[in-house]
Coordinates of all heavy atoms in Angstrom, one line a residue:
M9 N -3.5 -30.5 -11.2 CA -4.6 -30.7 -12.1 C -5.1 -32.2 -12.0 O -4.3 -33.1 -12.1 CB -4.2 -30.3 -13.5 CG -5.4 -30.4 -14.5 SD -4.9 -29.9 -16.2 CE -4.3 -28.3 -16.0
H10 N -6.4 -32.4 -12.0 CA -6.9 -33.7 -11.9 C -6.6 -34.5 -13.2 O -6.6 -33.9 -14.3 CB -8.5 -33.6 -11.8 CG -9.1 -34.9 -11.5 ND1 -9.7 -35.6 -12.5 CD2 -9.4 -35.6 -10.4 CE1 -10.2 -36.7 -12.0 NE2 -10.0 -36.7 -10.7
M11 N -6.2 -35.7 -13.1 CA -5.7 -36.5 -14.2 C -6.7 -36.5 -15.4 O -6.4 -36.4 -16.5 CB -5.4 -37.9 -13.8 CG -4.6 -38.7 -14.9 SD -3.3 -37.7 -15.5 CE -2.0 -38.9 -15.6
S12 N -8.0 -36.7 -15.1 CA -9.0 -36.8 -16.2 C -9.1 -35.4 -16.9 O -9.2 -35.4 -18.1 CB -10.3 -37.3 -15.8 OG -10.9 -36.4 -14.9
T13 N -9.0 -34.4 -16.2 CA -9.0 -33.0 -16.8 C -7.8 -32.9 -17.6 O -7.9 -32.3 -18.7 CB -9.1 -31.9 -15.7 OG1 -10.2 -32.1 -14.9 CG2 -9.2 -30.6 -16.3
C14 N -6.7 -33.4 -17.1 CA -5.4 -33.3 -17.9 C -5.5 -34.0 -19.2 O -5.1 -33.5 -20.3 CB -4.3 -33.8 -17.1 SG -2.7 -33.7 -17.9
E15 N -6.1 -35.2 -19.2 CA -6.3 -36.0 -20.4 C -7.3 -35.2 -21.4 O -7.0 -35.3 -22.6 CB -6.8 -37.4 -20.1 CG -5.8 -38.3 -19.4 CD -4.6 -38.5 -20.2 OE1 -4.7 -38.7 -21.4 OE2 -3.5 -38.4 -19.6
E16 N -8.3 -34.6 -20.9 CA -9.2 -33.9 -21.7 C -8.6 -32.7 -22.3 O -8.8 -32.4 -23.5 CB -10.5 -33.5 -20.9 CG -11.3 -34.7 -20.4 CD -11.9 -35.4 -21.6 OE1 -12.4 -34.8 -22.6 OE2 -12.0 -36.7 -21.5
I17 N -7.7 -32.0 -21.6 CA -7.0 -30.8 -22.1 C -6.1 -31.3 -23.2 O -5.9 -30.6 -24.3 CB -6.2 -30.1 -21.0 CG1 -7.2 -29.5 -20.0 CG2 -5.3 -29.0 -21.6 CD1 -8.1 -28.3 -20.6
K18 N -5.4 -32.5 -23.1 CA -4.6 -33.0 -24.1 C -5.4 -33.3 -25.4 O -4.9 -33.0 -26.5 CB -3.9 -34.3 -23.6 CG -2.7 -34.0 -22.7 CD -2.1 -35.2 -22.0 CE -1.8 -36.4 -22.9 NZ -1.2 -37.5 -22.1
K19 N -6.6 -33.8 -25.2 CA -7.5 -34.1 -26.4 C -7.8 -32.7 -27.1 O -7.8 -32.6 -28.3 CB -8.8 -34.8 -26.0 CG -8.6 -36.3 -25.7 CD -9.8 -37.0 -25.3 CE -11.1 -36.5 -25.5 NZ -12.2 -37.3 -25.1
L20 N -8.1 -31.7 -26.3 CA -8.5 -30.4 -26.8 C -7.3 -29.9 -27.6 O -7.5 -29.4 -28.7 CB -8.8 -29.4 -25.7 CG -9.0 -28.0 -26.1 CD1 -10.2 -27.8 -26.9 CD2 -9.1 -27.1 -24.9
A21 N -6.1 -30.0 -27.1 CA -4.9 -29.5 -27.8 C -4.7 -30.3 -29.1 O -4.3 -29.7 -30.1 CB -3.7 -29.7 -26.9
K22 N -5.0 -31.6 -29.1 CA -4.8 -32.3 -30.3 C -5.8 -31.8 -31.3 O -5.5 -31.7 -32.5 CB -5.1 -33.8 -30.0 CG -5.0 -34.7 -31.3 CD -5.4 -36.1 -31.1 CE -5.3 -36.9 -32.4 NZ -5.8 -38.2 -32.2
G23 N -7.0 -31.5 -30.9 CA -8.1 -31.0 -31.8 C -7.7 -29.7 -32.4 O -7.9 -29.5 -33.6
I24 N -7.3 -28.7 -31.6 CA -7.1 -27.4 -32.2 C -5.6 -27.1 -32.4 O -5.3 -26.0 -32.8 CB -7.8 -26.3 -31.3 CG1 -7.2 -26.3 -29.9 CG2 -9.3 -26.5 -31.3 CD1 -7.7 -25.1 -29.1
G25 N -4.7 -28.1 -32.2 CA -3.3 -27.8 -32.3 C -2.8 -27.9 -33.8 O -1.6 -28.0 -34.0
N26 N -3.7 -27.9 -34.7 CA -3.4 -28.0 -36.1 C -4.1 -26.9 -36.8 O -5.3 -26.6 -36.6 CB -3.9 -29.4 -36.6 CG -3.8 -29.5 -38.1 OD1 -4.6 -28.9 -38.8 ND2 -2.9 -30.4 -38.6
D27 N -3.4 -26.2 -37.7 CA -3.9 -25.0 -38.4 C -5.2 -25.3 -39.1 O -6.2 -24.5 -39.0 CB -2.9 -24.4 -39.4 CG -1.7 -23.8 -38.7 OD1 -1.8 -23.5 -37.5 OD2 -0.7 -23.6 -39.4
C28 N -5.3 -26.4 -39.8 CA -6.5 -26.8 -40.5 C -7.7 -27.1 -39.6 O -8.8 -26.6 -39.9 CB -6.2 -28.0 -41.4 SG -5.0 -27.8 -42.7
R29 N -7.4 -27.8 -38.5 CA -8.5 -28.1 -37.6 C -9.0 -26.8 -36.9 O -10.2 -26.6 -36.6 CB -8.1 -29.2 -36.6 CG -8.1 -30.5 -37.3 CD -8.0 -31.7 -36.3 NE -6.7 -31.7 -35.6 CZ -5.6 -32.3 -36.0 NH1 -5.6 -33.0 -37.2 NH2 -4.5 -32.4 -35.3
Y30 N -8.0 -25.9 -36.6 CA -8.4 -24.7 -35.9 C -9.2 -23.8 -36.9 O -10.2 -23.2 -36.5 CB -7.1 -23.9 -35.5 CG -7.5 -22.7 -34.7 CD1 -7.9 -22.8 -33.4 CD2 -7.4 -21.4 -35.3 CE1 -8.2 -21.7 -32.6 CE2 -7.7 -20.3 -34.5 CZ -8.1 -20.4 -33.2 OH -8.5 -19.3 -32.5
A31 N -8.9 -23.8 -38.2 CA -9.7 -23.1 -39.2 C -11.1 -23.7 -39.2 O -12.1 -22.9 -39.3 CB -9.1 -23.2 -40.5
L32 N -11.3 -25.0 -39.1 CA -12.6 -25.6 -39.1 C -13.4 -25.2 -37.9 O -14.6 -24.9 -37.9 CB -12.5 -27.1 -39.2 CG -12.1 -27.7 -40.5 CD1 -11.7 -29.2 -40.4 CD2 -13.2 -27.5 -41.5
V33 N -12.7 -25.2 -36.7 CA -13.4 -24.7 -35.5 C -13.8 -23.3 -35.6 O -15.0 -22.9 -35.3 CB -12.4 -24.9 -34.3 CG1 -13.0 -24.1 -33.0 CG2 -12.2 -26.4 -33.9
Q34 N -13.0 -22.4 -36.2 CA -13.3 -21.0 -36.4 C -14.6 -20.9 -37.3 O -15.5 -20.1 -37.1 CB -12.2 -20.2 -37.0 CG -11.1 -19.9 -36.0 CD -10.0 -19.0 -36.7 OE1 -9.5 -19.4 -37.7 NE2 -9.7 -17.9 -36.0
A35 N -14.6 -21.7 -38.4 CA -15.8 -21.7 -39.3 C -17.0 -22.2 -38.6 O -18.1 -21.6 -38.8 CB -15.5 -22.6 -40.5
L36 N -16.9 -23.1 -37.7 CA -18.1 -23.7 -37.0 C -18.5 -22.7 -35.9 O -19.7 -22.9 -35.4 CB -17.8 -25.1 -36.5 CG -17.6 -26.1 -37.5 CD1 -17.1 -27.4 -37.0 CD2 -19.0 -26.3 -38.3
I37 N -17.7 -21.8 -35.4 CA -18.2 -20.8 -34.4 C -19.4 -20.1 -34.9 O -20.3 -19.7 -34.2 CB -17.0 -19.9 -34.0 CG1 -16.0 -20.6 -33.2 CG2 -17.5 -18.6 -33.3 CD1 -14.7 -19.9 -32.9
K38 N -19.4 -19.9 -36.2 CA -20.5 -19.1 -36.8 C -21.8 -19.9 -37.0 O -22.8 -19.3 -37.4 CB -20.1 -18.5 -38.2 CG -18.9 -17.6 -38.1 CD -18.3 -17.2 -39.4 CE -17.1 -16.3 -39.2 NZ -16.3 -16.2 -40.4
G39 N -21.7 -21.2 -36.7 CA -22.9 -22.0 -36.7 C -22.7 -23.3 -37.5 O -21.6 -23.5 -38.1
P40 N -23.6 -24.3 -37.4 CA -23.5 -25.6 -38.0 C -23.3 -25.4 -39.5 O -23.8 -24.5 -40.2 CB -24.8 -26.3 -37.7 CG -25.3 -25.5 -36.5 CD -24.9 -24.1 -36.7
K41 N -22.5 -26.4 -40.1 CA -22.2 -26.4 -41.5 C -22.1 -27.8 -42.0 O -21.7 -28.7 -41.3 CB -20.9 -25.6 -41.8 CG -21.1 -24.1 -41.5 CD -19.8 -23.4 -41.9 CE -19.9 -21.9 -41.7 NZ -20.6 -21.4 -40.6
T42 N -22.4 -28.0 -43.3 CA -22.1 -29.3 -44.0 C -20.7 -29.3 -44.4 O -20.0 -28.3 -44.4 CB -23.0 -29.4 -45.2 OG1 -22.6 -28.4 -46.2 CG2 -24.5 -29.3 -44.9
V43 N -20.2 -30.5 -44.8 CA -18.9 -30.7 -45.3 C -18.6 -29.7 -46.4 O -17.6 -29.0 -46.5 CB -18.6 -32.1 -45.7 CG1 -17.2 -32.2 -46.4 CG2 -18.5 -33.0 -44.4
N44 N -19.6 -29.7 -47.4 CA -19.4 -28.8 -48.5 C -19.3 -27.3 -48.2 O -18.5 -26.6 -48.7 CB -20.5 -29.0 -49.5 CG -20.5 -30.3 -50.2 OD1 -19.4 -31.0 -50.3 ND2 -21.6 -30.8 -50.7
E45 N -20.0 -26.9 -47.2 CA -19.9 -25.5 -46.7 C -18.6 -25.3 -46.1 O -18.0 -24.2 -46.2 CB -21.1 -25.2 -45.7 CG -22.4 -25.1 -46.4 CD -23.6 -25.1 -45.4 OE1 -23.5 -25.7 -44.3 OE2 -24.6 -24.4 -45.7
L46 N -18.1 -26.3 -45.3 CA -16.8 -26.1 -44.7 C -15.7 -26.1 -45.7 O -14.7 -25.4 -45.6 CB -16.6 -27.2 -43.7 CG -17.4 -27.1 -42.4 CD1 -17.4 -28.4 -41.6 CD2 -16.9 -25.9 -41.6
V47 N -15.8 -26.9 -46.8 CA -14.8 -26.9 -47.9 C -14.6 -25.5 -48.4 O -13.5 -25.0 -48.6 CB -15.2 -27.9 -49.0 CG1 -14.4 -27.7 -50.3 CG2 -15.0 -29.3 -48.5
V48 N -15.7 -24.8 -48.7 CA -15.7 -23.5 -49.2 C -15.1 -22.5 -48.1 O -14.3 -21.7 -48.5 CB -17.1 -23.0 -49.6 CG1 -17.2 -21.5 -50.0 CG2 -17.6 -23.9 -50.8
A49 N -15.6 -22.6 -46.9 CA -15.2 -21.7 -45.8 C -13.7 -21.8 -45.5 O -13.1 -20.7 -45.3 CB -16.0 -22.0 -44.6
V50 N -13.1 -23.0 -45.6 CA -11.7 -23.1 -45.2 C -10.7 -23.3 -46.4 O -9.5 -23.5 -46.2 CB -11.5 -24.2 -44.1 CG1 -12.2 -23.8 -42.8 CG2 -11.9 -25.6 -44.6
K51 N -11.3 -23.4 -47.5 CA -10.6 -23.6 -48.8 C -9.6 -24.8 -48.7 O -8.4 -24.7 -49.0 CB -9.8 -22.3 -49.1 CG -10.7 -21.1 -49.4 CD -9.9 -19.9 -49.6 CE -10.7 -18.7 -49.9 NZ -11.6 -18.3 -48.9
M52 N -10.2 -26.0 -48.4 CA -9.5 -27.2 -48.3 C -10.3 -28.2 -49.2 O -11.5 -28.0 -49.5 CB -9.3 -27.8 -46.9 CG -8.4 -27.1 -46.1 SD -8.0 -27.9 -44.5 CE -9.5 -27.8 -43.6
T53 N -9.7 -29.3 -49.5 CA -10.4 -30.4 -50.3 C -11.4 -31.1 -49.4 O -11.2 -31.1 -48.1 CB -9.4 -31.4 -50.8 OG1 -8.8 -32.1 -49.8 CG2 -8.4 -30.8 -51.7
Q54 N -12.4 -31.7 -50.0 CA -13.4 -32.4 -49.2 C -12.8 -33.6 -48.4 O -13.1 -33.7 -47.2 CB -14.5 -32.9 -50.1 CG -15.7 -33.6 -49.4 CD -15.4 -35.1 -49.2 OE1 -14.8 -35.8 -50.0 NE2 -15.9 -35.6 -48.0
P55 N -11.8 -34.4 -49.0 CA -11.2 -35.4 -48.2 C -10.4 -34.9 -47.0 O -10.5 -35.5 -45.9 CB -10.3 -36.1 -49.1 CG -10.9 -35.9 -50.5 CD -11.4 -34.5 -50.4
A56 N -9.8 -33.8 -47.1 CA -9.0 -33.2 -46.0 C -10.0 -32.7 -44.9 O -9.7 -32.9 -43.7 CB -8.1 -32.0 -46.5
V57 N -11.0 -32.0 -45.3 CA -12.0 -31.5 -44.4 C -12.6 -32.7 -43.6 O -12.7 -32.7 -42.4 CB -13.1 -30.7 -45.0 CG1 -14.3 -30.4 -44.1 CG2 -12.5 -29.4 -45.5
S58 N -13.0 -33.8 -44.3 CA -13.6 -34.9 -43.7 C -12.6 -35.6 -42.7 O -13.0 -36.0 -41.6 CB -14.0 -36.0 -44.7 OG -15.1 -35.4 -45.5
Q59 N -11.3 -35.7 -43.0 CA -10.3 -36.3 -42.1 C -10.2 -35.4 -40.9 O -10.1 -36.0 -39.8 CB -9.0 -36.4 -42.9 CG -8.0 -37.2 -42.1 CD -8.4 -38.6 -41.7 OE1 -9.0 -39.3 -42.6 NE2 -8.1 -39.1 -40.5
H60 N -10.1 -34.1 -41.0 CA -10.0 -33.3 -39.9 C -11.2 -33.3 -39.0 O -11.1 -33.2 -37.8 CB -9.6 -31.8 -40.3 CG -8.2 -31.7 -40.8 ND1 -7.1 -32.0 -40.0 CD2 -7.7 -31.4 -42.0 CE1 -6.0 -31.8 -40.7 NE2 -6.3 -31.4 -42.0
L61 N -12.4 -33.3 -39.6 CA -13.6 -33.4 -38.9 C -13.7 -34.7 -38.0 O -14.1 -34.7 -36.9 CB -14.9 -33.4 -39.8 CG -15.2 -32.0 -40.3 CD1 -16.3 -32.1 -41.4 CD2 -15.6 -31.1 -39.2
K62 N -13.2 -35.8 -38.6 CA -13.1 -37.1 -37.9 C -12.3 -36.9 -36.6 O -12.7 -37.3 -35.5 CB -12.5 -38.1 -38.8 CG -12.3 -39.5 -38.1 CD -11.7 -40.5 -39.0 CE -11.5 -41.8 -38.2 NZ -10.6 -42.7 -38.9
T63 N -11.1 -36.2 -36.7 CA -10.3 -36.0 -35.5 C -11.0 -35.1 -34.5 O -11.0 -35.4 -33.3 CB -8.9 -35.4 -36.0 OG1 -8.3 -36.3 -36.9 CG2 -8.1 -35.1 -34.8
L64 N -11.6 -34.1 -35.0 CA -12.4 -33.1 -34.1 C -13.5 -33.9 -33.4 O -13.8 -33.6 -32.2 CB -12.9 -31.9 -34.9 CG -11.8 -30.9 -35.3 CD1 -12.3 -29.9 -36.3 CD2 -11.2 -30.2 -34.1
K65 N -14.2 -34.8 -34.1 CA -15.2 -35.6 -33.5 C -14.6 -36.5 -32.4 O -15.2 -36.6 -31.3 CB -16.0 -36.4 -34.5 CG -17.0 -35.5 -35.3 CD -17.7 -36.4 -36.3 CE -18.4 -37.6 -35.7 NZ -19.1 -38.4 -36.7
E66 N -13.5 -37.1 -32.7 CA -12.8 -38.0 -31.7 C -12.4 -37.3 -30.5 O -12.4 -37.8 -29.4 CB -11.6 -38.7 -32.4 CG -12.0 -39.7 -33.4 CD -10.7 -40.2 -34.2 OE1 -9.6 -39.7 -34.0 OE2 -10.9 -41.1 -35.0
T67 N -12.1 -36.0 -30.6 CA -11.7 -35.2 -29.4 C -12.9 -34.7 -28.7 O -12.7 -34.1 -27.6 CB -10.7 -34.1 -29.8 OG1 -11.5 -33.2 -30.7 CG2 -9.5 -34.5 -30.5
G68 N -14.0 -34.8 -29.2 CA -15.2 -34.3 -28.6 C -15.6 -32.8 -28.9 O -16.5 -32.3 -28.4
L69 N -14.7 -32.2 -29.7 CA -14.9 -30.7 -30.0 C -16.1 -30.5 -31.0 O -16.6 -29.4 -31.0 CB -13.7 -30.1 -30.5 CG -12.5 -30.1 -29.5 CD1 -11.2 -29.6 -30.2 CD2 -12.8 -29.2 -28.4
V70 N -16.3 -31.4 -31.8 CA -17.3 -31.3 -32.9 C -18.3 -32.5 -32.8 O -18.0 -33.6 -32.5 CB -16.7 -31.3 -34.3 CG1 -17.7 -31.4 -35.4 CG2 -15.9 -30.0 -34.4
S71 N -19.6 -32.1 -33.0 CA -20.6 -33.2 -33.0 C -21.3 -33.0 -34.4 O -21.2 -32.0 -35.1 CB -21.6 -33.0 -31.9 OG -22.2 -31.7 -31.9
D72 N -22.1 -34.1 -34.7 CA -22.8 -34.0 -36.0 C -24.2 -34.6 -35.8 O -24.5 -35.3 -34.9 CB -22.0 -34.8 -37.1 CG -21.9 -36.3 -36.8 OD1 -22.3 -36.7 -35.7 OD2 -21.3 -37.0 -37.6
V73 N -25.1 -34.1 -36.8 CA -26.4 -34.6 -36.8 C -26.9 -34.7 -38.2 O -26.5 -33.9 -39.1 CB -27.4 -33.6 -36.0 CG1 -27.4 -32.3 -36.6 CG2 -28.8 -34.2 -35.8
R74 N -27.5 -35.8 -38.5 CA -28.0 -36.0 -39.9 C -29.3 -35.3 -40.1 O -30.2 -35.4 -39.3 CB -28.2 -37.5 -40.2 CG -28.7 -37.8 -41.6 CD -28.6 -39.2 -42.0 NE -27.3 -39.8 -42.1 CZ -26.6 -39.6 -43.2 NH1 -27.0 -38.9 -44.2 NH2 -25.4 -40.1 -43.3
E75 N -29.4 -34.5 -41.2 CA -30.6 -33.8 -41.6 C -30.9 -34.2 -43.0 O -30.3 -33.6 -44.0 CB -30.5 -32.3 -41.4 CG -30.5 -31.9 -40.0 CD -30.8 -30.4 -39.8 OE1 -30.9 -29.7 -40.8 OE2 -30.8 -30.0 -38.7
G76 N -31.7 -35.2 -43.2 CA -32.0 -35.7 -44.6 C -30.7 -36.4 -45.1 O -30.2 -37.3 -44.5
Q77 N -30.3 -35.9 -46.3 CA -29.1 -36.5 -46.9 C -27.8 -35.8 -46.4 O -26.7 -36.2 -46.7 CB -29.1 -36.4 -48.4 CG -30.2 -37.3 -49.0 CD -30.2 -37.4 -50.5 OE1 -29.4 -36.7 -51.1 NE2 -31.0 -38.2 -51.1
N78 N -28.0 -34.7 -45.7 CA -26.8 -33.9 -45.2 C -26.5 -34.2 -43.8 O -27.3 -34.6 -43.0 CB -27.1 -32.4 -45.3 CG -27.2 -31.9 -46.7 OD1 -26.4 -32.3 -47.6 ND2 -28.1 -31.1 -47.0
I79 N -25.2 -34.1 -43.4 CA -24.8 -34.1 -42.1 C -24.3 -32.7 -41.7 O -23.4 -32.2 -42.4 CB -23.6 -35.2 -41.9 CG1 -24.1 -36.6 -42.2 CG2 -23.1 -35.1 -40.5 CD1 -23.1 -37.6 -42.2
L80 N -24.9 -32.2 -40.6 CA -24.5 -30.9 -40.1 C -23.5 -31.0 -39.0 O -23.7 -31.8 -38.0 CB -25.7 -30.1 -39.6 CG -26.5 -29.4 -40.7 CD1 -27.7 -28.7 -40.0 CD2 -25.8 -28.4 -41.5
Y81 N -22.4 -30.4 -39.1 CA -21.3 -30.4 -38.1 C -21.4 -29.1 -37.3 O -21.7 -28.0 -37.8 CB -19.9 -30.5 -38.7 CG -19.7 -31.8 -39.4 CD1 -20.1 -32.0 -40.7 CD2 -19.3 -32.9 -38.7 CE1 -20.0 -33.3 -41.3 CE2 -19.1 -34.2 -39.3 CZ -19.5 -34.3 -40.6 OH -19.3 -35.5 -41.2
S82 N -21.2 -29.2 -36.0 CA -21.3 -28.1 -35.1 C -20.3 -28.2 -33.9 O -19.9 -29.4 -33.6 CB -22.7 -27.8 -34.6 OG -23.1 -28.9 -33.8
L83 N -19.9 -27.1 -33.3 CA -19.1 -27.2 -32.2 C -19.9 -27.8 -31.0 O -21.1 -27.5 -30.8 CB -18.6 -25.8 -31.8 CG -17.6 -25.1 -32.7 CD1 -17.3 -23.7 -32.1 CD2 -16.4 -26.0 -32.8
N84 N -19.2 -28.6 -30.2 CA -19.8 -29.2 -29.1 C -19.6 -28.3 -27.9 O -18.7 -28.5 -27.1 CB -19.2 -30.6 -28.8 CG -19.9 -31.3 -27.7 OD1 -20.7 -30.8 -27.0 ND2 -19.7 -32.6 -27.6
A85 N -20.4 -27.2 -27.8 CA -20.2 -26.1 -26.9 C -20.4 -26.7 -25.4 O -19.6 -26.2 -24.5 CB -21.2 -25.0 -27.1
E86 N -21.3 -27.6 -25.2 CA -21.5 -28.2 -23.9 C -20.2 -28.9 -23.4 O -19.8 -28.7 -22.2 CB -22.6 -29.1 -23.9 CG -23.0 -29.7 -22.5 CD -24.2 -30.7 -22.6 OE1 -25.0 -30.5 -23.5 OE2 -24.2 -31.5 -21.7
Y87 N -19.6 -29.6 -24.3 CA -18.3 -30.3 -23.9 C -17.3 -29.3 -23.5 O -16.6 -29.4 -22.5 CB -17.9 -31.2 -25.0 CG -16.5 -31.7 -24.8 CD1 -16.2 -32.8 -24.0 CD2 -15.4 -31.1 -25.5 CE1 -14.9 -33.2 -23.8 CE2 -14.1 -31.6 -25.4 CZ -13.8 -32.6 -24.5 OH -12.6 -33.0 -24.3
M88 N -17.1 -28.3 -24.4 CA -16.1 -27.3 -24.1 C -16.3 -26.5 -22.8 O -15.4 -26.2 -22.1 CB -15.9 -26.4 -25.3 CG -15.3 -27.0 -26.5 SD -14.8 -25.9 -27.8 CE -16.2 -25.7 -28.7
L89 N -17.6 -26.2 -22.6 CA -17.9 -25.5 -21.3 C -17.6 -26.3 -20.1 O -17.0 -25.8 -19.2 CB -19.4 -25.1 -21.3 CG -19.9 -24.3 -20.1 CD1 -19.1 -23.0 -20.0 CD2 -21.3 -24.0 -20.3
K90 N -17.9 -27.6 -20.2 CA -17.6 -28.5 -19.0 C -16.1 -28.6 -18.8 O -15.7 -28.6 -17.7 CB -18.2 -29.9 -19.3 CG -19.7 -29.9 -19.1 CD -20.3 -31.3 -19.3 CE -21.8 -31.4 -19.2 NZ -22.3 -32.8 -19.4
L91 N -15.4 -28.7 -19.9 CA -13.9 -28.8 -19.8 C -13.3 -27.6 -19.2 O -12.5 -27.7 -18.3 CB -13.4 -29.1 -21.2 CG -11.9 -29.2 -21.3 CD1 -11.3 -30.4 -20.4 CD2 -11.4 -29.5 -22.8
L92 N -13.8 -26.4 -19.7 CA -13.2 -25.2 -19.1 C -13.6 -25.0 -17.7 O -12.8 -24.5 -16.9 CB -13.7 -24.0 -20.0 CG -13.1 -23.9 -21.4 CD1 -13.7 -22.8 -22.2 CD2 -11.6 -23.8 -21.3
M93 N -14.8 -25.4 -17.3 CA -15.2 -25.3 -15.9 C -14.4 -26.3 -15.0 O -14.0 -25.9 -13.9 CB -16.7 -25.6 -15.8 CG -17.6 -24.5 -16.3 SD -19.4 -24.9 -16.4 CE -19.7 -25.3 -14.7
A94 N -14.1 -27.5 -15.5 CA -13.3 -28.4 -14.8 C -11.9 -27.9 -14.6 O -11.3 -28.0 -13.5 CB -13.3 -29.8 -15.5
L95 N -11.4 -27.3 -15.7 CA -10.0 -26.7 -15.6 C -10.0 -25.5 -14.6 O -9.1 -25.5 -13.8 CB -9.6 -26.2 -17.0 CG -8.2 -25.5 -17.1 CD1 -7.1 -26.4 -16.7 CD2 -8.0 -25.0 -18.5
A96 N -11.0 -24.7 -14.6 CA -11.1 -23.6 -13.7 C -11.1 -24.1 -12.2 O -10.5 -23.6 -11.3 CB -12.2 -22.7 -14.0
K97 N -11.9 -25.1 -12.0 CA -12.0 -25.7 -10.7 C -10.7 -26.3 -10.2 O -10.3 -26.1 -9.1 CB -13.1 -26.8 -10.7 CG -13.3 -27.5 -9.4 CD -14.4 -28.6 -9.6 CE -14.5 -29.4 -8.3 NZ -15.5 -30.5 -8.4
D98 N -10.0 -27.0 -11.1 CA -8.7 -27.6 -10.8 C -7.7 -26.5 -10.4 O -6.9 -26.6 -9.5 CB -8.2 -28.4 -11.9 CG -8.9 -29.8 -11.9 OD1 -9.7 -30.1 -11.0 OD2 -8.6 -30.5 -12.9
V99 N -7.7 -25.4 -11.2 CA -6.8 -24.3 -11.0 C -7.1 -23.6 -9.6 O -6.2 -23.3 -8.8 CB -6.8 -23.2 -12.1 CG1 -6.1 -22.0 -11.8 CG2 -6.3 -23.9 -13.4
K100 N -8.4 -23.4 -9.4 CA -8.8 -22.8 -8.1 C -8.4 -23.7 -6.9 O -7.9 -23.2 -5.9 CB -10.3 -22.5 -8.1 CG -10.8 -21.8 -6.9 CD -12.2 -21.4 -7.1 CE -12.7 -20.6 -5.9 NZ -14.1 -20.3 -6.0
A101 N -8.5 -25.0 -7.1 CA -8.2 -25.9 -6.0 C -6.7 -26.0 -5.7 O -6.3 -26.3 -4.6 CB -8.7 -27.3 -6.3
S102 N -5.9 -25.7 -6.7 CA -4.4 -25.8 -6.5 C -3.8 -24.5 -5.9 O -2.7 -24.5 -5.6 CB -3.8 -26.0 -7.9 OG -3.9 -24.9 -8.7
K103 N -4.6 -23.5 -5.7 CA -4.1 -22.2 -5.1 C -4.1 -22.4 -3.6 O -4.7 -23.0 -2.9 CB -5.0 -21.1 -5.4 CG -4.8 -20.7 -6.9 CD -5.6 -19.4 -7.2 CE -5.3 -18.9 -8.6 NZ -5.9 -17.7 -8.9

């Protein structure tokens, strides 16, 4: 496996390797949400959701966009697709 792909996979694992962050990812699969919407969806406190979103943003799995006074969080599908394509390419090359 190419080293940069390996590092990216490690980041992905860090992002979804926690039950709370995985729950946030599952909630975001249904579409962009604000922090308050995520608090309701995953039944966690606002500070906990914000902390986990920070980690998900650092890993590249989640992106955000400001809309007025709200920030909408969404899955970074383009990043995940590129990562999975790179992984598939590395696996195919190793055969």
